[in-house]
Amino acid sequence: MRTGKVKFFIESKGFGFITDDETGKDIFVHATGLQVEGLREGDKVSYVEEDGKKGKVAAQVAAID
């Protein structure tokens, strides 16, 4: 399980990016990979990195208190 902060998430389009805490790299996140509602910029999250159609994507995204 990886951790990061939401860089941005556009609700109307259903996607955004998370900045990984360890690597500092951004990873794509789609609404289908969320286990929470209403991601906002700066939210701390945990996630699993998976292979997507165009590269790595975040899945099983959950909020961290």
Side-chain angles (χ1 to χ4, degrees):
M1 191 70 59
R2 303 188 70 86
T3 60
K5 286 187 180 177
V6 177
K7 185 172 186 175
F8 69 86
F9 190 82
I10 304 169
E11 286 280 338
S12 62
K13 297 192 183 247
F15 73 90
F17 284 88
I18 295 170
T19 302
D20 186 87
D21 285 338
E22 189 176 316
T23 66
K25 293 183 179 180
D26 294 339
I27 185 166
F28 180 80
V29 59
H30 189 268
T32 57
L34 300 180
Q35 295 181 336
V36 296
E37 285 189 34
L39 283 183
R40 287 182 235 137
E41 183 179 331
D43 285 353
K44 292 181 182 182
V45 294
S46 63
Y47 67 95
V48 174
E49 195 173 283
E50 294 183 351
D51 291 324
K53 292 180 181 179
K54 297 182 180 180
K56 298 290 185 183
V57 298
Q60 300 176 30
V61 179
I64 299 175
D65 293 328

